[in-house]
Amino acid sequence: MTIPGAKTAVDWLVSAAPDPGACRWEWERNPLGVALLPAGRRWDVLILPGELGRPTLDVLRLIDRPGPVLADFGDSRLGFFVPAGTASRWLGTGVRGAGRGTWIVVPYPGRATGGVRWLVLPDGEGTLTDPAVLELAMHEAAACVLSHGGRKS
């Protein structure tokens, strides 16, 4: 399945690869439909635990257009694409940063894979999540999780 706009998303993603042609080749031939891309060039990724990441994404969608967001199998972790350099400056309990010197498993946009999938596809124009807006959304999501966490149904 190919999603409209996937071509531009592919172009944007492979522009971060040391060898864009090799990245495209890997995506076409890898049975898992994934490639490794370096963080820290065009973007960093902030990785949140799923129990915080899912409500954070819900809040983000209400207040801003989020940049690309990945989820691993079972949504146990969500990765928010933020401007390069953010990971090295981020301070937050339970949030992992992938920046310069790290690699991210990235699925081909618009194709289903077994382990990692896009919750928000790259738009091909380089839209990233603003770290300040992400932090506000995380605070709002954490407050909602805490206020609903103790309720019994």
Side-chain angles (χ1 to χ4, degrees):
M1 175 178 113
T2 303
I3 294 176
K7 177 77 168 116
T8 56
V10 169
D11 293 340
W12 180 73
L13 286 166
V14 301
S15 73
D19 182 344
C23 181
R24 286 178 194 274
W25 187 90
E26 179 69 18
W27 259 334
E28 291 171 7
R29 286 164 183 72
N30 184 323
L32 299 176
V34 297
L36 284 174
L37 289 176
R41 292 183 75 186
R42 299 238 185 261
W43 36 260
D44 285 356
V45 180
L46 294 179
I47 303 163
L48 282 61
E51 58 272 5
L52 177 59
R54 286 185 302 278
T56 296
L57 179 56
D58 291 343
V59 171
L60 270 178
R61 285 180 165 150
L62 293 174
I63 59 175
D64 197 16
R65 188 215 180 279
V69 180
L70 288 173
D72 67 359
F73 183 73
D75 290 356
S76 63
R77 287 182 294 279
L78 273 66
F80 293 81
F81 282 53
V82 294
T86 301
S88 65
R89 297 184 307 271
W90 191 269
L91 299 173
T93 304
V95 177
R96 290 182 25 219
R100 186 168 297 283
T102 60
W103 293 76
I104 299 294
V105 174
V106 180
Y108 189 92
R111 288 189 198 153
T113 66
V116 178
R117 71 182 197 289
W118 292 105
L119 296 180
V120 178
L121 275 170
D123 62 8
E125 303 199 10
T127 301
L128 299 168
T129 298
D130 180 316
V133 174
L134 178 61
E135 184 176 14
L136 290 172
M138 288 172 60
H139 286 291
E140 182 68 25
C144 289
V145 168
L146 288 174
S147 70
H148 294 90
R151 289 190 183 168
K152 293 182 182 177
S153 309

